[in-house]
Amino acid sequence: MLTIDNDGTISMYQGDSGEIVVNGLNENTSYTVYLGIQDEKRNTIGEELQVSVSNSSTVTFVLTPSFTDNLTVPKGKPYKIYYYGIKLCISDSSVEDTLFIANGTYGDLNKIIVYPRKVKGA
């Protein structure tokens, strides 16, 4: 499970699953939407997630346990902060826009606070 605060900050445990929902898309446009995660040195973590959507105002990214397993927390640390971005690309066009999260501005960092795994599970 993950939670998303009003400012767009995501909090989660390493290895948990969850969904990130992007609302407000134009229902008359086809999009490919990307989600990328980086560490503090701008190293990409895992592969960018990609979802294509048509005739919908919403897109959902599903984060699987195997995907969030890549968001590691150093031993002895209470958490680690990662950063994410979402890019909206209009199909059959050269338009690509990085989205602002929760009334953000240029240069804002969208955080993912990852806490150490509590239990391994299945």
Side-chain angles (χ1 to χ4, degrees):
M1 179 174 110
L2 59 82
T3 61
I4 303 175
D5 294 344
N6 290 335
D7 68 355
T9 297
I10 298 170
S11 298
M12 64 179 303
Y13 287 105
Q14 177 188 357
D16 277 6
S17 60
E19 295 181 349
I20 298 172
V21 179
V22 178
N23 295 305
L25 303 179
N26 182 338
E27 293 181 9
N28 299 317
T29 305
S30 296
Y31 298 100
T32 302
V33 187
Y34 298 86
L35 170 74
I37 299 175
Q38 298 178 341
D39 65 14
E40 70 281 356
K41 295 180 181 176
R42 293 188 177 176
N43 295 313
T44 301
I45 306 299
E47 297 289 325
E48 284 188 354
L49 300 179
Q50 169 184 336
V51 177
S52 296
V53 63
S54 295
N55 303 318
S56 177
S57 63
T58 302
V59 64
T60 302
F61 290 99
V62 177
L63 278 63
T64 64
S66 61
F67 180 81
T68 68
D69 231 10
N70 294 312
L71 305 174
T72 60
V73 180
K75 200 169 209 154
K77 297 288 184 180
Y79 59 86
K80 181 168 180 178
I81 297 176
Y82 291 89
Y83 303 96
Y84 73 98
I86 297 175
K87 181 169 271 198
L88 186 69
C89 300
I90 297 177
S91 301
D92 300 327
S93 168
S94 62
V95 174
E96 295 189 11
D97 290 321
T98 299
L99 301 181
F100 290 120
I101 308 299
N103 300 317
T105 59
Y106 285 100
D108 286 351
L109 297 175
N110 307 314
K111 296 178 188 176
I112 301 179
I113 302 172
V114 179
Y115 296 90
R117 176 191 325 277
K118 293 284 185 183
V119 61
K120 178 74 173 163

